Amino acid sequence: MTPSLSTASATADTFTLGPLQNGPACCIPTPILSIENLSLHYGDKPALAEVSLDIYRGCITALIGPSGCGKTSFLSALNRLSDLIPGCRVGGRIRFGDADIHDPAIDLQGLRRKIGMIFQKPNPFPLSIRRNLEMPLREHGVDRQDELDEKIRQALTDVGLWDEVHDRLDAPALGLSGGQQQRLCIARAIVLEPEVLLMDEPCSALDPLSSAVVEALIQRLRGRYTVVIVTHNLAQARRIANYAAFFWMREKVGKLVEFGRCQQLFDMPRDDLTAAYIAGISG
Amino acid sequence: MRELIGKPAPDGPDLALTIAIWGGAALVAGSFLALLGDLLWHGAARVSWDFLVMAPEHAGKTGGIGPILASTVAILAVALLAALPLGLATAIWLSNFTRGGSLLARQVNLSLDVLAGVPSIVFGLFGNAFFSVVLGMGFSIAAGGLTLACMILPIFIRSVESGLSAVPDEWRRGAAALGLSQAAALRHILLPAAAPAISAGMMLGIGRALAETAALIFTSGYVDRMPESLLDSGRALAVHIYDLSMNVTGGDQAAYASALVLIVLLLAINSVAQTLTGRFLARRISQP
Amino acid sequence: MISSPNNISSRWPADQRLAVSLGLAAALVAAILGLVVAFLSKESWPLLRDIELTRFLTDDGWHPTEQSYGMMPMLTATLAASFGALLLAAPLGLASALFCRFYAPPALARSYRRMLGLLAGIPSVVFGFWGLTVLVPLIARWEPPGASLLAAVLILALMVLPTVALTSDTALGAVPANWLHGAAALGLSRRGMLFGVAIPAARRGIFAGILLAAARALGETMAVLMVAGNVVQSPSSLFDPVRTMTANIALEMAYATGDHRASLFVTGLLLTALVLLLVLGTLRNTGEHGHA
C-alpha cells in the first residue's frame, strides 16, 4: 500500500486565486512539510547538516543566504530531485502530510506531482506551448480533450499568459520571451494541481520587468499553494515572504542559522550573523 | 588561434617548417584527388541506368550490377534491423540508467571499445563459425547482415549516447520534477531532441556496412544472382569489386564503375550524416 | 480530477520494467565480444590442444596441410607493413592536423577536415583496387613485380592517415588558447610554439591516434590482400611480395578444413589479442570511460 500523500486538501481547495494579498496570510500556521535534522552529502563531501524547520501551508517561505550554502540542495531534497544527482545522499526525515518522503514504498512520481518545482533558468520543453502543458497532464492520466483544454486554459490564465498566447498555442514554447517562458513553467507546474511549489531563484535569470511580473504572480499564488522560494534578492524576500530561513556556511557545511517570521527576521534578527548579513547586503 | 601565430617569422627553420606542413597537406590532398579522379575518369563511362539494373554477364565483365545492388540493400537491411533496436536500447540504458557506473555498464563499455577495434576479417571468421555453421544459416544474406550488425553496433551506440548526453540536463530535471516517468521523458523529450544524432549514427553505421568486404566473403558469399530469400547467398557491392579486380581478367572496367557507384553512395551518406550532425550541434531541436 | 496517487503508482513499475529490458539489451551487446572470443577459441581448440603454441612461431614455413604452421613470415610481413605505414602516416597525419589548426585559413581548414573525413570513409576494397591498378604498375616499372611490401605500406599509410590526422586535430584543438598566448607573449617563434607548447600539450591525444591507426593497419585485410603479392616469405626488401596474416585468412578460409581451418582461427585469435592490447593502451592513455 502506498502511503497516502493526500494532506488536508479540503482547505486548499477552498482558496481561489484572488487579488494580491498583503501581509501574513496564515494566522494559525499548520505545517505541510516538516524537516527534521536534514543532512545532505555529495559523495563524501557534506553540503548541508542539521537542518530542522517546518514549512507552513499556504505561506511563502523564503530561503536566503550567500551562494553555496546549500539552499538549492535543501530545495531539491524536498521533492527528492536530489535522487538524480549521482552520489548524493540525504539523511534525516522529511514529512509531507502523513507520509515520510523517503519511505521506499512511496509513489515518487505522485510526490513530485504534488510538490512542483520551478528552476532558475526557465526550462520549457522543446515542444509547442500547448504540448508543454498537455503532455504532463496526459502522462498523469488526463485523457479527455475537453478536460485537457479547460485545464490548460485555466493554468495559462492563472499565470497571466492566456491573453498573450491564446492565439498561438501551437507555436514553439522556446520562441517565448524569458519571462513568458518562466510563467509557462509555473503554469506547467500548477496545471498538475500541486500543493507545494519549490522555486529556485525563479526571477534571477530574467530582466527587471519580467522579474517584477513573475514576482507579482508568486504573490498571487500565496494561499492556494505553499511556496518555498530561494532568492538572493533580500528586498524581494522581504516583499513577498511570510517566513524566512537564513542559511550560512559553517566549517564548509551549510547550516540553518535562523528561521522565523519574515518581518521578525529582517527587523529584529535573533542571531548576530543574520543581522550582519542583512545589514551588509542592504547597507 | 591562427591569427595568434599567423605572422610567418622570417628565420630559416620556421620557413622550412611552413613549407613542410603545406607540402604534407598538399601531398595528402593530392593523393585523395588522384584516387577520386581516377575512379571518375575510368568509371563514369560505364555507369548508366542499364548498368545499375542489369544482371552481370561473363562473371561481371559485361552486364550490370542489378542483383548485386539488391543483395547489398538486403544485407544492409538485415544489419540495420538487428543493430538499430539493440543499439538504441543499449545507448539509452548507458546514458540514462547507469549513472553510477555499474559493473555491467563497465562490461558493456569495454566490449564496445574492443569490438570497435576487432579486425573485420575476424568478424568474418566469427560470423562464419557462429551464424553460418552453428546457427545453420550457411552462406546467406542473413548471416552477412547479422555479422555486419555486430560490427556497426559500437559506432551507432556511441553516436546515440553522445546525442542523448548532449540533451540539456534542465529538461531531464524538468521532466522529473513534473513527476514524469523515465519512459515518458524519453519518448516526449530526450529521444526527439537526440533524433539528429541518432540519424547521424545510423548513417555512419550504414557507411561502415557498405564499405565492408572482408567480413562478408565467408558469411554472405559470392553468388551474383538475384537473391530470392534472406537465406540465399548474395554478393555485396564491395565483394563484387574485389572479385572483379582479383579473380576476373579484364574486369577492371566494371570494377571501376562499381567502385564509382559505391563511392558516390558513401559520399551521399556522409553528407547526410554531416548535415545532421551540424544541425544537432546547432541545437535546432525538432518541433513535433 | 487528476487521477489519484494509487492510480499513478501503477505507472511507476513501468520504469523498472523499462530499465530491466534495456539492461538486457545492453547485456546482449556486452555478450557479443564474449561470443566472438568464445567462437574463435572453440574453432581453434582442436589445433591448440594438439600442438605446442610455440610451433606457430618455430615451424619451418606455412604448410598447414602438412602440419607445418610457421606463421613467422606472415607475422613479420604484418608487422613490417603496419610499421612502415605508421612511419609515413604519423608525421603526415600530424602535419595535416597542424595544417588545419595553425596554418590553413579557416575556410580551407574546414574543407581539408571534411576531406579527411571522406578519406576515412573510403572502403578498403577501393583503396586496394586503386593500388592494384595504379600503384602496383608504377612500382613494377621501377622494380618488378610491383605487388610488394612497398605497395602495401603506401596504401596502408594513406588509409590510416585520416585516423592520426583527425585525432591529433581534436587533441590540438583542446590545448587551452591561453597557453599559446603565453608562448606568443614570450616571443617564441612559430616553430617553438608548435614543438614547445602545442604538440607536448596534445601528445596524449596524438599518441592515442597513432595507436588507433596501428590497430587499423594491423587488422586491415582487403587493401593489403590486393596489393602485397601474397607470397609467404619473410621480406628481405621493400620490393618483395609478402602475405600478411589477415590476407592469409581471406585467401585460405574458402577451402580450409580440419586443422588447417583451425589454424586460421588461431591467426584470428592472435590478431584480436594484438588489437586488444592496442585498444586497451589507447584507453589507458586517454582515460576514456574510466576503465582500462
Side-chain angles (χ1 to χ4, degrees):
Chain A
M1 187 57 200
T2 312
S4 167
L5 282 174
S6 58
T7 52
S9 58
T11 50
D13 284 346
T14 58
F15 282 99
T16 50
L17 193 63
L20 200 146
Q21 300 183 28
N22 288 310
C26 22
C27 306
I28 313 155
T30 44
I32 182 166
L33 276 164
S34 306
I35 295 98
E36 287 166 39
N37 199 20
L38 183 79
S39 67
L40 193 142
H41 293 251
Y42 293 114
D44 296 330
K45 258 189 63 194
L48 205 61
E50 297 164 16
V51 176
S52 299
L53 64 100
D54 286 345
I55 303 291
Y56 296 117
R57 177 184 303 286
C59 296
I60 298 181
T61 304
L63 311 180
I64 58 172
S67 302
C69 64
K71 305 185 298 290
T72 299
S73 302
F74 175 76
L75 208 60
S76 64
L78 297 184
N79 65 347
R80 282 187 54 187
L81 212 62
S82 49
D83 289 10
L84 297 190
I85 304 163
C88 179
R89 286 180 296 119
V90 178
R93 231 156 74 111
I94 302 175
R95 297 196 65 80
F96 175 50
D98 302 330
D100 181 340
I101 71 162
H102 291 114
D103 189 325
I106 200 167
D107 163 25
L108 190 57
Q109 285 166 302
L111 171 80
R112 288 180 180 156
R113 214 204 82 212
K114 299 225 167 194
I115 305 183
M117 192 166 196
I118 313 296
F119 298 87
Q120 178 172 11
K121 193 170 157 237
N123 61 347
F125 297 132
L127 309 167
S128 68
I129 296 170
R130 184 202 307 280
R131 289 269 296 148
N132 258 283
L133 303 183
E134 188 183 286
M135 187 267 286
L137 277 173
R138 278 190 188 277
E139 288 299 324
H140 283 293
V142 181
D143 287 328
R144 279 178 33 227
Q145 193 60 46
D146 55 341
E147 194 182 347
L148 284 166
D149 288 343
E150 175 54 25
K151 281 181 188 293
I152 290 169
R153 192 192 60 75
Q154 185 60 46
L156 287 175
T157 308
D158 286 351
V159 300
L161 211 50
W162 180 253
D163 289 341
E164 294 165 48
V165 303
H166 70 91
D167 54 349
R168 50 179 173 130
L169 286 177
D170 293 311
L174 292 173
L176 296 172
S177 75
Q180 287 174 324
Q181 287 191 10
Q182 193 62 300
R183 280 186 286 150
L184 180 67
C185 291
I186 296 175
R188 191 176 61 186
I190 66 179
V191 82
L192 296 177
E193 298 169 16
E195 295 179 25
V196 181
L197 284 176
L198 309 175
M199 301 191 172
D200 188 3
E201 300 185 51
C203 299
S204 66
L206 308 178
D207 63 82
L209 218 60
S210 312
S211 173
V213 174
V214 171
E215 187 182 312
L217 168 62
I218 295 169
Q219 282 183 299
R220 288 182 0 120
L221 298 175
R222 185 204 323 266
R224 193 160 103 178
Y225 306 102
T226 306
V227 176
V228 185
I229 180 170
V230 171
T231 178
H232 279 120
N233 183 339
L234 288 187
Q236 182 182 59
R238 200 170 190 160
R239 279 195 299 272
I240 65 175
N242 308 100
Y243 290 89
F246 173 58
F247 286 75
W248 186 261
M249 289 281 276
R250 274 184 184 147
E251 289 145 15
K252 294 184 179 167
V253 185
K255 295 268 175 70
L256 174 67
V257 175
E258 186 167 349
F259 172 69
R261 290 225 164 221
C262 188
Q263 211 175 2
Q264 170 260 315
L265 191 130
F266 276 96
D267 294 342
M268 294 173 291
R270 282 191 295 266
D271 196 287
D272 292 345
L273 213 53
T274 320
Y277 182 72
I278 290 165
I281 296 280
S282 57
Chain B
M1 224 186 292
R2 201 184 75 85
E3 296 74 36
L4 192 71
I5 51 173
K7 284 186 253 55
D11 62 306
D14 249 22
L15 187 63
L17 182 67
T18 307
I19 292 172
I21 292 212
W22 277 88
L27 183 63
V28 174
S31 313
F32 177 68
L33 293 177
L35 197 164
L36 222 55
D38 188 53
L39 289 183
L40 208 60
W41 179 256
H42 289 98
R46 267 297 291 277
V47 178
S48 64
W49 179 249
D50 279 352
F51 180 73
L52 293 180
V53 295
M54 272 171 61
E57 291 159 17
H58 302 105
K61 271 185 280 189
T62 55
I65 53 171
I68 285 140
L69 283 179
S71 298
T72 308
V73 169
I75 292 170
L76 211 55
V78 172
L80 291 180
L81 233 55
L84 292 193
L86 197 58
L88 204 56
T90 305
I92 292 172
W93 186 77
L94 280 174
S95 67
N96 277 42
F97 289 86
T98 59
R99 291 215 152 175
S102 61
L103 181 68
L104 179 58
R106 284 204 303 279
Q107 295 289 332
V108 174
N109 276 320
L110 179 68
S111 173
L112 288 174
D113 286 332
V114 176
L115 279 181
V118 169
S120 54
I121 187 81
V122 173
F123 275 106
L125 287 177
F126 163 70
N128 180 274
F130 184 55
F131 296 119
S132 299
V133 177
V134 173
L135 298 188
M137 295 180 190
F139 280 48
S140 68
I141 286 170
L146 291 175
T147 306
L148 285 189
C150 298
M151 283 188 70
I152 63 176
L153 268 172
I155 192 171
F156 176 66
I157 290 174
R158 290 301 184 214
S159 328
V160 176
E161 215 189 334
S162 69
L164 281 172
S165 59
V167 173
D169 238 15
E170 61 209 54
W171 289 342
R172 269 178 233 273
R173 274 184 296 149
L178 288 169
L180 298 185
S181 63
Q182 289 258 37
L186 278 165
R187 189 167 71 243
H188 295 295
I189 297 150
L190 302 181
L191 287 178
I198 296 171
S199 331
M202 195 173 94
M203 289 297 155
L204 287 173
I206 293 178
R208 178 104 197 257
L210 263 183
E212 191 45 51
T213 316
L216 292 179
I217 299 179
F218 312 117
T219 51
S220 61
Y222 276 98
V223 175
D224 62 0
R225 282 188 307 275
M226 185 63 87
E228 280 163 13
S229 88
L230 291 182
L231 290 176
D232 279 358
S233 169
R235 184 191 286 196
L237 194 51
V239 176
H240 188 55
I241 297 169
Y242 166 66
D243 195 55
L244 281 176
S245 59
M246 291 293 280
N247 303 337
V248 180
T249 22
D252 279 5
Q253 273 289 309
Y256 263 120
S258 308
L260 185 62
V261 172
L262 183 56
I263 289 285
V264 168
L265 277 174
L266 284 169
L267 288 188
I269 287 165
N270 188 293
S271 313
V272 175
Q274 289 270 344
T275 316
L276 288 168
T277 314
R279 183 174 304 177
F280 183 69
L281 290 178
R283 279 270 164 78
R284 292 235 316 266
I285 303 300
S286 58
Q287 303 293 337
Chain C
M1 199 47 212
I2 292 177
S3 54
S4 70
N6 282 342
N7 197 347
I8 297 167
S9 73
S10 67
R11 287 161 172 269
W12 183 235
D15 264 1
Q16 275 153 10
R17 278 202 301 278
L18 181 69
V20 169
S21 41
L22 293 179
L24 280 177
L28 192 58
V29 168
I32 292 177
L33 179 63
L35 271 181
V36 170
V37 174
F39 270 88
L40 290 180
S41 310
K42 170 179 168 282
E43 299 285 326
S44 308
W45 183 242
L47 191 57
L48 287 178
R49 186 187 48 199
D50 290 343
I51 71 168
E52 296 273 331
L53 258 182
T54 47
R55 275 191 52 197
F56 290 105
L57 298 180
T58 55
D59 268 11
D60 194 21
W62 176 259
H63 306 288
T65 44
E66 293 151 35
Q67 282 77 49
S68 172
Y69 303 103
M71 282 188 201
M72 208 54 192
M74 295 189 290
L75 184 61
T76 316
T78 296
L79 294 177
S82 304
F83 186 71
L86 284 182
L87 224 51
L88 289 176
L92 269 178
L94 184 56
S96 297
L98 291 173
F99 175 75
C100 275
R101 283 286 158 195
F102 301 110
Y103 285 84
L108 184 58
R110 257 199 310 280
S111 321
Y112 193 80
R113 237 174 242 137
R114 187 87 193 262
M115 182 204 80
L116 287 174
L118 294 177
L119 198 57
I122 289 183
S124 53
V125 69
V126 173
F127 275 112
F129 175 60
W130 185 67
L132 187 65
T133 52
V134 176
L135 205 58
V136 168
L138 269 181
I139 297 173
R141 225 182 295 166
W142 181 15
E143 181 82 52
S148 58
L149 178 60
L150 178 64
V153 164
L154 290 176
I155 285 294
L156 271 182
L158 192 58
M159 283 187 68
V160 301
L161 188 144
T163 308
V164 180
L166 291 170
T167 322
S168 307
D169 180 54
T170 312
L172 286 170
V175 175
N178 58 352
W179 291 13
L180 301 173
H181 281 286
L186 289 173
L188 254 66
S189 68
R190 191 203 289 231
R191 193 170 53 100
M193 178 153 6
L194 295 185
F195 287 97
V197 180
I199 294 176
R203 67 181 186 284
R204 290 174 83 91
I206 296 170
F207 190 57
I210 294 175
L211 284 184
L212 281 178
R216 214 177 147 198
L218 283 176
E220 178 50 42
T221 308
M222 301 316 292
V224 178
L225 170 66
M226 292 165 85
V227 302
N230 299 324
V231 178
V232 184
Q233 61 173 344
S234 288
S236 56
S237 95
L238 273 175
F239 298 100
D240 284 350
V242 294
R243 182 189 290 192
T244 61
M245 297 198 295
T246 50
N248 185 53
I249 300 175
L251 286 168
E252 299 189 350
M253 186 63 189
Y255 59 84
T257 51
D259 278 358
H260 183 191
R261 182 178 150 97
S263 71
L264 297 180
F265 277 86
V266 173
T267 322
L269 262 183
L270 191 60
L271 276 169
T272 308
L274 272 177
V275 168
L276 197 92
L277 284 177
L278 284 172
V279 170
L280 292 183
T282 318
L283 289 178
R284 198 179 287 271
N285 216 32
T286 52
E288 212 183 338
H289 305 307
H291 60 77

